[in-house]
Amino acid sequence: MVDSARSRLLEQVRGYHDAQVPGPTPFVPGQTPILSSGAVLDADDREALVAAALDMRIASGSITAKFESSLARTLKRRKAVLTNSGSSANLLALSTLTSHELGDERLKPGDEVVTVAAGFPTTVNPILQNGLVPVFVDIELGTYNTTADRVEEAISPRTRAIMIAHTLGNPFPVAEIAELAERHGLFLIEDNCDAVGSTYNGRLTGTFGRFSTISFYPAHHLTMGEGGMLLSSDIKLAKLAKSFRDWGRDCWCEPGEDDRCLKRFELQLGTLPEGYDHKYVFSEVGYNLKSTDIQAALGLSQLAKLPDFIEARKRNWRQLREGLDGLPGLLLPEATPGSDPSWFGFIITVLPDAGFDVPDIVGYLEDRKIRTRRLFAGNLTRHPAYIGRPQRIVGSLANSDLVTERTFWIGVYPGITTEMIEYVIGTLKEFVASH
């Protein structure tokens, strides 16, 4: 009876979805917004959310575990740890590397972490939040990523790690930087939040570092509404990360599970009494960064569509790149040599001699309902949050300054149609011709 009622309800959910979303609405140039990013959700997604809610999956449990294992297989990692955001995944990655369990390898206050000046704060914030020192390097125009040479120049006797994001889905030269990290005995963390499905030298990004992270915010390749994932093929590090995510707990039982180790009341740890309940023994100074099964159910449903999402992003980017090729005054993006990006956005730099500035072209696009975004924070070292903080800058940050002044990006996410892309191309050509 219950199963049959559940099935009827879920059938009604699909009917409700079809009634609410009967099909694509006609695109009206200049009136229909062309978003820079957004979630693409279907009846399967709605049903997955409702099914998890019907089962009262309000905490992290079996659906979370299934999503973690499924995503780890998809992205070629041995372990995945679900978090409540991509930002939390970055914090979890770096915090895990401070564990006393790592002995002399662990990161300690004052150690340096090489990173990029032009990007999003959550790649850099965990460095400062753990008492470490960010070492900022510049990027290249065109790819908007740094180079192995710049990273190597930044390494000092105090450098212990490298933490860099793949910019807008375009891989940084990760094989060369991974080799550099190994040669110098450094941890490499790949912020892969914008680049799920990108490859470098035929290998998925997110598989080169000791840790990689992704985000499930609606702007990203897959969505849970909010959420993130930390991935690793290092079993010890993944186990430590799970402890840091779950309050720093020593116990590895899943929620609602008891005594998997069969020694719950037999251990003596720290200076606690012998036999103290292992479920309440804490070995790390951790957080609560967990997500829920309801969100994980949406993530699982979205994962089935990942190949189509990736192909749509690539197709939209190619159409823009070919349609805008040769347009004067604009520097168009280039894939990093050896890479096949799963693009997050289409980035454009207004050249200094263009005869117009970013506010001019951005205003023109926005007035015509074409949404734009800056390259996140631009040069982070210029923001109030980072002025006066411990840091080291290596070389010039001229390109990071230039993108702060002259760079923006437009969308390629799967909700954008070929017709919309043609309108964007025509609008940009119209603007440049008039200037």
Side-chain angles (χ1 to χ4, degrees):
M1 176 70 82
V2 172
D3 286 346
S4 139
R6 186 178 187 277
S7 296
R8 286 198 305 273
L9 270 171
L10 293 178
E11 187 176 338
Q12 289 175 334
V13 166
R14 296 188 77 89
Y16 173 84
H17 179 89
D18 292 341
Q20 290 291 307
V21 191
T25 55
F27 170 64
V28 181
Q31 295 184 32
T32 305
I34 301 175
L35 304 180
S36 57
S37 59
V40 177
L41 303 166
D42 63 13
D44 292 337
D45 299 320
R46 195 184 294 267
E47 182 180 343
L49 280 171
V50 173
L54 288 173
D55 295 338
M56 298 299 280
R57 305 302 308 183
I58 60 174
S60 174
S62 59
I63 303 177
T64 293
K66 184 177 180 182
F67 184 38
E68 287 174 332
S69 61
S70 298
L71 191 71
R73 283 195 302 272
T74 300
L75 298 183
K76 313 298 184 188
R77 297 279 80 183
R78 295 178 69 186
K79 291 291 182 181
V81 180
L82 188 64
T83 65
N84 56 11
S85 71
S87 305
S88 291
N90 279 348
L91 175 62
L92 183 60
L94 207 60
S95 297
T96 298
L97 299 179
T98 69
S99 172
H100 286 271
E101 291 291 321
L102 299 178
D104 291 340
E105 263 198 304
R106 75 182 182 96
L107 303 184
K108 297 179 286 297
D111 286 346
E112 293 181 345
V113 181
V114 178
T115 190
V116 170
F120 199 74
T122 54
T123 311
V124 173
N125 289 353
I127 302 171
L128 292 165
Q129 288 161 340
N130 279 283
L132 307 167
V133 178
V135 179
F136 292 106
V137 297
D138 206 4
I139 59 168
E140 295 279 282
L141 298 179
T143 67
Y144 301 91
N145 283 302
T146 194
T147 63
D149 288 343
R150 283 189 172 94
V151 171
E152 185 161 31
E153 183 186 357
I155 294 171
S156 81
R158 301 205 66 173
T159 305
R160 300 298 311 282
I162 302 166
M163 187 168 182
I164 302 175
H166 299 288
T167 304
L168 290 181
N170 197 16
F172 61 82
V174 61
E176 291 82 354
I177 289 176
E179 188 278 328
L180 193 62
E182 177 148 3
R183 180 153 38 95
H184 288 271
L186 311 176
F187 291 107
L188 173 61
I189 302 168
E190 291 178 74
D191 182 333
N192 202 41
C193 290
D194 291 351
V196 175
S198 295
T199 62
Y200 186 79
N201 292 345
R203 177 175 165 183
L204 282 170
T205 56
T207 64
F208 292 83
R210 298 287 288 277
F211 278 135
S212 64
T213 60
I214 58 178
S215 171
F216 301 120
Y217 187 70
H220 288 277
H221 290 61
L222 303 172
T223 188
M224 291 169 37
E226 294 282 358
M229 194 79 84
L230 177 148
L231 298 110
S232 181
S233 286
D234 186 314
I235 300 300
K236 179 179 179 179
L237 286 182
K239 182 181 175 184
L240 284 171
K242 192 172 180 184
S243 173
F244 271 87
R245 182 197 66 179
D246 298 0
W247 308 284
R249 178 181 278 174
D250 195 78
C251 174
W252 55 85
C253 288
E254 297 295 337
E257 181 182 49
D258 292 337
D259 205 20
R260 188 195 293 189
C261 66
L262 304 178
K263 295 182 179 180
R264 178 179 170 189
F265 299 109
E266 298 177 22
L267 300 173
Q268 195 285 309
L269 296 169
T271 61
L272 292 166
E274 186 172 351
Y276 195 84
D277 189 345
H278 191 224
K279 287 183 73 70
Y280 293 98
V281 174
F282 299 89
S283 54
E284 304 290 351
V285 179
Y287 310 91
N288 178 2
L289 304 177
K290 295 187 295 177
S291 188
T292 70
D293 268 10
I294 290 177
Q295 292 169 287
L298 177 56
L300 261 175
S301 177
Q302 286 267 294
L303 184 57
K305 297 177 269 286
L306 180 59
D308 290 339
F309 287 166
I310 291 170
E311 183 49 45
R313 287 176 175 275
K314 291 180 178 181
R315 181 176 63 246
N316 287 340
W317 190 93
R318 283 194 303 269
Q319 187 182 349
L320 280 168
R321 188 64 181 77
E322 291 166 5
L324 297 173
D325 192 43
L327 201 59
L330 303 180
L331 177 66
L332 301 183
E334 299 287 349
T336 301
S339 75
D340 182 12
S342 173
W343 293 98
F344 185 74
F346 189 91
I347 191 166
I348 297 170
T349 293
V350 177
L351 296 171
D353 60 355
F356 51 87
D357 291 319
V358 167
D360 302 320
I361 191 169
V362 162
Y364 195 85
L365 293 171
E366 293 280 350
D367 286 346
R368 287 152 183 80
K369 303 297 184 182
I370 299 168
R371 301 298 180 235
T372 65
R373 293 290 185 269
R374 289 301 190 111
L375 183 53
F376 308 126
N379 183 349
L380 282 163
T381 68
R382 296 173 61 176
H383 286 256
Y386 305 98
I387 294 172
R389 299 274 188 172
Q391 62 181 253
R392 188 162 63 87
I393 295 172
V394 177
S396 165
L397 297 182
N399 289 337
S400 298
D401 285 331
L402 190 145
V403 302
T404 307
E405 306 290 343
R406 311 194 68 84
T407 299
F408 68 98
W409 60 272
I410 52 181
V412 299
Y413 84 104
I416 296 177
T417 64
T418 297
E419 188 181 10
M420 291 175 174
I421 296 286
E422 284 301 322
Y423 174 66
V424 172
I425 292 168
T427 302
L428 282 165
K429 287 182 172 178
E430 179 182 85
F431 171 84
V432 171
S434 69
H435 286 73

CSV table of all heavy atoms in Angstrom, one decimal, residues 83-104:
chain,number,residue,atom,x,y,z
A,83,THR,N,30.5,17.7,0.8
A,83,THR,CA,30.5,18.8,1.8
A,83,THR,C,29.3,19.7,1.5
A,83,THR,O,28.6,19.5,0.5
A,83,THR,CB,31.8,19.6,1.7
A,83,THR,OG1,31.8,20.2,0.4
A,83,THR,CG2,33.0,18.8,1.9
A,84,ASN,N,29.1,20.7,2.3
A,84,ASN,CA,27.9,21.6,2.1
A,84,ASN,C,28.2,22.7,1.1
A,84,ASN,O,27.3,23.5,0.8
A,84,ASN,CB,27.5,22.2,3.4
A,84,ASN,CG,28.6,22.9,4.2
A,84,ASN,OD1,29.7,23.2,3.6
A,84,ASN,ND2,28.4,23.2,5.4
A,85,SER,N,29.4,22.8,0.5
A,85,SER,CA,29.7,23.8,-0.5
A,85,SER,C,31.1,23.5,-1.1
A,85,SER,O,31.9,22.8,-0.5
A,85,SER,CB,29.7,25.3,0.0
A,85,SER,OG,30.8,25.5,0.8
A,86,GLY,N,31.3,24.1,-2.3
A,86,GLY,CA,32.7,24.0,-2.9
A,86,GLY,C,33.7,24.7,-2.0
A,86,GLY,O,34.8,24.3,-1.9
A,87,SER,N,33.3,25.9,-1.5
A,87,SER,CA,34.2,26.6,-0.6
A,87,SER,C,34.6,25.8,0.6
A,87,SER,O,35.7,25.8,1.0
A,87,SER,CB,33.4,27.9,-0.1
A,87,SER,OG,33.0,28.7,-1.2
A,88,SER,N,33.6,25.1,1.2
A,88,SER,CA,33.9,24.2,2.3
A,88,SER,C,34.9,23.1,1.9
A,88,SER,O,35.7,22.6,2.7
A,88,SER,CB,32.6,23.6,2.9
A,88,SER,OG,31.9,24.6,3.5
A,89,ALA,N,34.7,22.6,0.7
A,89,ALA,CA,35.6,21.5,0.2
A,89,ALA,C,37.0,22.0,0.1
A,89,ALA,O,38.0,21.3,0.5
A,89,ALA,CB,35.1,21.0,-1.2
A,90,ASN,N,37.2,23.3,-0.3
A,90,ASN,CA,38.6,23.9,-0.3
A,90,ASN,C,39.1,24.0,1.1
A,90,ASN,O,40.3,23.7,1.4
A,90,ASN,CB,38.5,25.3,-1.0
A,90,ASN,CG,38.5,25.2,-2.5
A,90,ASN,OD1,38.8,24.1,-3.1
A,90,ASN,ND2,38.2,26.3,-3.2
A,91,LEU,N,38.3,24.5,2.0
A,91,LEU,CA,38.7,24.6,3.4
A,91,LEU,C,39.0,23.3,4.0
A,91,LEU,O,40.0,23.1,4.7
A,91,LEU,CB,37.6,25.3,4.2
A,91,LEU,CG,37.8,25.4,5.7
A,91,LEU,CD1,39.0,26.3,6.0
A,91,LEU,CD2,36.5,25.9,6.4
A,92,LEU,N,38.2,22.3,3.7
A,92,LEU,CA,38.5,20.9,4.2
A,92,LEU,C,39.8,20.4,3.6
A,92,LEU,O,40.6,19.7,4.4
A,92,LEU,CB,37.3,20.0,3.7
A,92,LEU,CG,37.3,18.6,4.2
A,92,LEU,CD1,37.3,18.5,5.7
A,92,LEU,CD2,36.1,17.8,3.7
A,93,ALA,N,40.1,20.6,2.3
A,93,ALA,CA,41.3,20.1,1.7
A,93,ALA,C,42.5,20.6,2.4
A,93,ALA,O,43.4,19.8,2.8
A,93,ALA,CB,41.3,20.4,0.2
A,94,LEU,N,42.6,21.9,2.6
A,94,LEU,CA,43.8,22.5,3.2
A,94,LEU,C,43.9,22.2,4.7
A,94,LEU,O,45.0,21.9,5.2
A,94,LEU,CB,43.8,24.0,2.9
A,94,LEU,CG,45.3,24.6,2.9
A,94,LEU,CD1,46.1,24.0,1.8
A,94,LEU,CD2,45.2,26.1,2.7
A,95,SER,N,42.7,22.2,5.4
A,95,SER,CA,42.8,22.0,6.8
A,95,SER,C,43.2,20.5,7.1
A,95,SER,O,44.0,20.3,8.0
A,95,SER,CB,41.3,22.2,7.4
A,95,SER,OG,40.9,23.5,7.3
A,96,THR,N,42.8,19.6,6.2
A,96,THR,CA,43.2,18.2,6.4
A,96,THR,C,44.7,18.1,6.4
A,96,THR,O,45.3,17.2,7.1
A,96,THR,CB,42.6,17.3,5.3
A,96,THR,OG1,41.2,17.4,5.5
A,96,THR,CG2,43.0,15.9,5.5
A,97,LEU,N,45.4,18.9,5.6
A,97,LEU,CA,46.9,18.8,5.5
A,97,LEU,C,47.6,19.4,6.7
A,97,LEU,O,48.8,19.3,6.7
A,97,LEU,CB,47.3,19.5,4.2
A,97,LEU,CG,46.8,18.9,2.9
A,97,LEU,CD1,47.3,19.7,1.7
A,97,LEU,CD2,47.1,17.5,2.8
A,98,THR,N,46.8,19.9,7.7
A,98,THR,CA,47.5,20.4,8.9
A,98,THR,C,47.4,19.3,10.0
A,98,THR,O,47.9,19.6,11.1
A,98,THR,CB,46.8,21.6,9.4
A,98,THR,OG1,45.4,21.3,9.9
A,98,THR,CG2,46.7,22.7,8.4
A,99,SER,N,46.9,18.1,9.7
A,99,SER,CA,46.7,17.1,10.7
A,99,SER,C,48.0,16.6,11.3
A,99,SER,O,49.0,16.3,10.5
A,99,SER,CB,45.9,15.9,10.1
A,99,SER,OG,45.9,14.8,11.0
A,100,HIS,N,48.1,16.4,12.6
A,100,HIS,CA,49.2,15.8,13.3
A,100,HIS,C,49.5,14.4,12.8
A,100,HIS,O,50.6,13.9,12.9
A,100,HIS,CB,49.1,15.9,14.8
A,100,HIS,CG,49.2,17.2,15.4
A,100,HIS,ND1,50.4,17.7,15.8
A,100,HIS,CD2,48.3,18.2,15.6
A,100,HIS,CE1,50.2,19.0,16.3
A,100,HIS,NE2,48.9,19.3,16.2
A,101,GLU,N,48.5,13.8,12.2
A,101,GLU,CA,48.7,12.4,11.7
A,101,GLU,C,49.7,12.4,10.6
A,101,GLU,O,50.2,11.3,10.2
A,101,GLU,CB,47.3,11.8,11.2
A,101,GLU,CG,46.3,11.6,12.4
A,101,GLU,CD,46.7,10.4,13.2
A,101,GLU,OE1,47.3,9.4,12.7
A,101,GLU,OE2,46.6,10.5,14.4
A,102,LEU,N,49.9,13.5,9.9
A,102,LEU,CA,50.8,13.5,8.8
A,102,LEU,C,52.3,13.8,9.2
A,102,LEU,O,53.2,13.8,8.4
A,102,LEU,CB,50.4,14.7,7.8
A,102,LEU,CG,49.0,14.5,7.2
A,102,LEU,CD1,48.7,15.7,6.3
A,102,LEU,CD2,48.9,13.2,6.4
A,103,GLY,N,52.5,13.9,10.5
A,103,GLY,CA,53.9,14.0,11.0
A,103,GLY,C,54.6,15.3,10.5
A,103,GLY,O,54.0,16.4,10.4
A,104,ASP,N,55.8,15.1,10.0
A,104,ASP,CA,56.6,16.2,9.5
A,104,ASP,C,56.1,16.7,8.2
A,104,ASP,O,56.4,17.8,7.8
A,104,ASP,CB,58.1,15.7,9.3
A,104,ASP,CG,58.8,15.5,10.6
A,104,ASP,OD1,58.3,16.0,11.6
A,104,ASP,OD2,59.8,14.8,10.6
